[in-house]
Amino acid sequence: MRWYDALWIGPGASRQKRRIISSIEKHKPVAGTYFITLAGNPSELLDIVPAGKLSGDAWPAEDSCILGIAVGKQEAFELVEKMVDYIYRETGTLDIRGYFSE
């Protein structure tokens, strides 16, 4: 698992960013925290993954990239909306994979 260089952080997560990242890197999920990643299904844009349900083998693969962190489901949805809106305004497309591969 790796972190996107310009990690997107929701407002609730920004107050706890260091603690969340430290816990996640130690494979200790933080309840109520959600990861934003590229969708596992290529026909979808992004996945919202609850960190509290991840443990052991369920952790993201080494090559997966965490694009964003949010605290709470509502904040996760709002962060995804913000990310998609920003990428669309910047590129004029919804090529999310292409945007994050640059």
Side-chain angles (χ1 to χ4, degrees):
M1 172 180 70
R2 56 191 171 82
W3 302 98
Y4 181 62
D5 289 335
L7 189 66
W8 291 72
I9 306 287
S14 68
R15 294 185 289 267
Q16 308 171 47
K17 179 182 172 184
R18 289 179 191 227
R19 183 182 65 81
I20 291 170
I21 290 174
S22 174
S23 294
I24 290 169
E25 287 179 341
K26 295 174 184 171
H27 289 217
K28 295 179 181 179
V30 180
T33 300
Y34 292 81
F35 298 138
I36 312 301
T37 65
L38 287 175
N41 181 342
S43 67
E44 297 175 356
L45 301 177
L46 298 167
D47 281 339
I48 297 173
V49 182
K53 292 188 177 187
L54 300 178
S55 64
D57 294 338
W59 279 87
E62 284 296 319
D63 63 340
S64 66
C65 184
I66 304 300
L67 306 173
I69 301 174
V71 172
K73 193 179 285 188
Q74 183 64 36
E75 183 173 292
F77 287 124
E78 290 169 1
L79 185 59
V80 165
E81 180 180 6
K82 184 177 178 181
M83 292 168 72
V84 170
D85 182 59
Y86 176 83
I87 293 165
Y88 182 75
R89 283 187 286 112
E90 288 293 311
T91 67
T93 72
L94 290 176
D95 182 13
I96 303 294
R97 288 182 190 281
Y99 179 84
F100 286 111
S101 68
E102 297 173 352

